[in-house]
Amino acid sequence: MERDSVFHNDRLGAPRNPLLDQLPSYQSLLYRRKPSASGSTKRRGSSRTRLGSSSSGKWGQTTLARQHEEKHRTQTLQRPVRELPKPMAEKRRDKDQRLEQAKDLSSWIQWRQGTRRTLRRLTEDGFEMLSNLELWRGDIHVIEGMFGTGILSYFSFLRFLVLLNFVMFLLMFGFVMLPIITAPHASGNTTFNHVDGFECSNYPSTSRRGLVVFHQHITDLLSGAGFLEQTYLFYGYYKVETIHFPKFTYNLPLAYLLVTIAYLFLSLIWIVKRSATGFKRKLVQDEDRFQSFCNKIFAGWDFCIVNDSAARLKRSSLLYELKTDLEEERIKQKMADRTRKEKCRIYVIRLILNLFVIAVLAACFYSIYIATNLSQKAQMTKVNFILDLIYEYLPSIVITLANFITPLIFSLIIQFEDYSPAFEIRFTLMRCVFMRLTSICVLLISLWGQITSCQEGNCVCGYNHILYPCWESRVGQEMYKLMIFDFIIICAVTVFVEFPRKLIVDYCDCGLAKWWGQQEFAIPQNVLGIVYGQTICWIGTFYCPLLPAICTIKYFIIFYIKKVTLVNNCRPATRPFRASSSNFFFLAVLLIGLALACVPVTIGIAQISCSQACGPFVNYTTSWEVLPRTVSQLPAGARTFLLAISSEAFAVSLFVITCLAMFYVIALAGAHKRVINQLREQLVMDGRDKRFLIQKLCQAQRTCAIRSTGSGFRSHSSDRVSPSYRSNSGIFLVQPPPDSATHV
């Protein structure tokens, strides 16, 4: 029976090796076994049992190895020759061998193999054709080659939003607009919501009559009022209750509500699905700082880069990241060494600065509130073209100024709060995200405050029907103006700021221009801009159904604007946002924007009374009322099933099951984490063992060199015949004295 010469049972009397007793891994194992002697005895017994059965299982292991080799050989033969990892000469020999073997096969087998190869080639060609149809595939590869994967993540994120908005537009167009468009051409009978002459049903036309000046059309185009208000663009145009086709009846209010829920739910699922991969990668990479250093040093280079300047920039960014990590370690050590007095001083400074940040945010929100009220009052009276346009866009102007000024203030304040460099970036970005997204909510709150308040104190219609006969269209116009103004600002900054700055830096030799430098392409700030626009789109789609189409066109143009300004006007940031976590950060911010967008949409659907003069929900108190009324008209079985699903008992049961599943996943994740920690410890111990063995080998080489110098040439055959053990010389041979106890 074969026996391992190193790991064996000491009771069998086989030779042992004391070198392994000195390994760090074995010493650590002995240290862990000391607390529980009984458990140690059980583990030794189980170790002996496994050792005794090793020789009996040798034949089974050999058989499994042969089966694995046969399976691998079969898979290799089935793979195409061009996919084999072999030199070209070996591929030619394999091809000739396969052709020779194919001659001996029957015609049926040859036909099957030829058909399989043809289908495989057709499938590969189909996938390749689909990949060529991918939006901006060539442009994104060019950007990746010039600037690396960090900036690539921004453009990939922009492409994702283009596809998302296009799908949202298809939902709104297919289920809301298309039935109205096709009804007259498909023998459909459209039933409009009735107008009974009540004061809440009065919706005066906003179209301009008589001689219209050209600039008034520009004002209407930029504000969404005038000739655009009663078109497919806004909520008020869809004043249809049912469409009677020859074989079925289409309930437009129900379709309008369900499509709104569908695009929000679809956005949630799509974002979560895309962010899962980035979250796993970020969780693994941020787990251990030592692993982060190793990844940057040995696997941090981006091999997609083909440009010399981009390669130099990547080198400097890796150097910056290493410096940042070392600075974080230094700051952590500094934080650990702080005295109580220093901690109190830091906390007081942070408290004062955060109170100042809250004051800045409060001032911005109050300015938005005042600007919204002033804009709504000024729109009732027309003065001239310029002032009317300024009043129309006054909330958008104030929000844009706040979004421009507050990041500068936050970047200045964060320097005095004594955080680590990475946390400074994240904390500043989260403050900017809060400012941008909350400003939209403040705008809607101030707008709804005017919609739901009446001069008499008691709104007869549930809203101010005198100033806002169709308040949903007015909210849609505000979202439309925010979207248009954001696009105008992006184009204006590119043309009037970044391009002149590029010319000044290139052709002006003054010290101020050199100090100013070329514009940096800041990835997080650009991402916050498009997330801000996407949040507006989610909120405004219910009130402006064509807003996803406008947003798709806007992002499509922004892609080329940003590409041109990146290649010609800007340079990548010297302090880059970490490419490894950028995709997850982008989607996390987008998820926050979606959560904030759901709040005003839900309030508008379930709480505020619908307009009685426009829209598909004229006959309902709130938009949500169409759903329970439709359920009440269903057959008894379907109605009972839906009521059971929406009951409290089902909700509690679902919550309990979800909690159990979550606890199971958490426990499973904890077990996996413990296994990962054990494997990491094992890797560390393996490294220590290798270092120990290398040290012993070096000692042995030095001892042999000294001995050979002192005693002259010596025959090596005598050493092989009579092995010995010397404890002081550092040489450890295979057969030590029998008093050692090496076992695992």
Side-chain angles (χ1 to χ4, degrees), residues 173 176-186 190 232 237-238 243 245:
F173 180 79
V176 176
M177 304 175 200
L178 191 61
I180 298 177
I181 296 173
T182 58
H185 306 285
T190 304
Y232 285 101
Y237 179 80
Y238 302 90
I243 301 176
F245 289 100

Side-chain angles (χ1 to χ4, degrees), residues 28-29 63 215 229 444 527 531 580:
S28 176
L29 181 63
T63 306
H215 67 75
E229 185 171 348
L444 293 175
V527 168
V531 169
S580 60

Side-chain angles (χ1 to χ4, degrees), residues 431-669:
R431 283 173 173 172
C432 296
V433 168
F434 180 78
M435 173 61 211
R436 282 180 175 268
L437 300 184
T438 312
S439 61
I440 305 174
C441 296
V442 173
L443 171 65
L444 293 175
I445 290 171
S446 58
L447 188 61
W448 282 339
Q450 298 186 17
I451 291 173
T452 56
S453 62
C454 302
Q455 295 179 355
E456 295 81 4
N458 185 16
C459 297
V460 179
C461 306
Y463 60 96
N464 193 341
H465 65 282
I466 298 175
L467 298 179
Y468 304 97
C470 185
W471 66 265
E472 289 92 347
S473 293
R474 181 61 66 88
V475 174
Q477 289 172 0
E478 293 297 329
M479 298 296 105
Y480 173 80
K481 286 186 287 187
L482 285 175
M483 184 71 68
I484 297 298
F485 190 75
D486 183 60
F487 177 68
I488 293 173
I489 290 298
I490 291 174
C491 296
V493 168
T494 302
V495 176
F496 299 109
V497 177
E498 295 177 354
F499 183 67
R501 180 174 177 176
K502 169 71 173 178
L503 295 178
I504 292 173
V505 172
D506 288 346
Y507 299 103
C508 183
D509 295 333
C510 62
L512 181 61
K514 298 300 181 183
W515 174 80
W516 195 18
Q518 194 175 355
Q519 174 74 28
E520 288 188 355
F521 191 84
I523 299 176
Q525 282 72 19
N526 283 281
V527 168
L528 293 182
I530 60 177
V531 169
Y532 167 76
Q534 186 61 37
T535 306
I536 295 172
C537 181
W538 277 323
I539 296 174
T541 302
F542 180 78
Y543 308 104
C544 181
L546 282 178
L547 199 61
I550 298 173
C551 198
T552 302
I553 298 172
K554 170 190 168 184
Y555 287 152
F556 190 86
I557 299 174
I558 285 177
F559 180 89
Y560 290 101
I561 292 175
K562 292 298 181 181
K563 178 188 173 184
V564 170
T565 191
L566 173 65
V567 175
N568 299 318
N569 300 336
C570 298
R571 61 182 175 86
T574 54
R575 294 181 59 177
F577 191 72
R578 299 177 188 269
S580 60
S581 59
S582 57
N583 287 322
F584 173 72
F585 171 77
F586 299 162
L587 295 170
V589 174
L590 191 63
L591 197 60
I592 295 173
L594 177 61
L596 289 178
C598 291
V599 175
V601 173
T602 304
I603 294 175
I605 291 175
Q607 296 294 329
I608 304 178
S609 299
C610 299
S611 296
Q612 303 300 313
C614 65
F617 303 101
V618 169
N619 298 327
Y620 303 94
T621 305
T622 60
S623 302
W624 183 259
E625 190 179 345
V626 65
L627 197 59
R629 187 179 298 184
T630 305
V631 171
S632 64
Q633 297 174 359
L634 293 175
R639 183 171 64 252
T640 304
F641 175 74
L642 293 176
L643 291 176
I645 290 178
S646 60
S647 63
E648 296 179 356
F650 181 81
V652 171
S653 302
L654 182 62
F655 178 75
V656 171
I657 294 174
T658 305
C659 290
L660 293 176
M662 183 178 64
F663 291 151
Y664 170 74
V665 171
I666 291 174
L668 189 63

